[in-house]
Amino acid sequence: AYYERGVSYGKLDKHQNAVDDYTKAIQLEPTATRGYINRAITYAELRQWDLYDQDSAIICSLDKQLC
């Protein structure tokens, strides 16, 4: 539910709300890449490059095909 709401917030350009919900989704499913991917995209939209890089590294550690 948090992931889907994060997507909805992203479509509404409510990026911080999206980040918050993606973070909650990640806490519930820490090995699912989709929360990290969308949160990284949102960090890029917010130009928070350090956080984007952190999520990108996690994504690569979870699924080498996404690197």
Side-chain angles (χ1 to χ4, degrees):
Y2 287 113
Y3 174 82
E4 288 81 8
R5 192 169 70 176
V7 171
S8 296
Y9 278 134
K11 290 178 181 178
L12 296 171
D13 291 329
K14 294 184 176 187
H15 299 301
Q16 189 56 56
N17 294 75
V19 167
D20 293 343
D21 276 357
Y22 292 138
T23 300
K24 289 175 186 170
I26 289 165
Q27 290 170 345
L28 294 172
E29 287 187 88
T31 60
T33 57
R34 68 184 191 160
Y36 292 105
I37 291 169
N38 278 28
R39 189 171 70 175
I41 291 167
T42 305
Y43 283 144
E45 290 171 352
L46 293 169
R47 301 193 182 289
Q48 294 180 345
W49 302 116
D50 289 342
L51 296 172
Y52 169 85
D53 289 341
Q54 288 176 21
D55 276 0
S56 294
I58 294 168
I59 293 163
C60 286
S61 73
L62 292 173
D63 188 341
K64 300 293 182 204
Q65 294 180 5
L66 298 174
C67 296

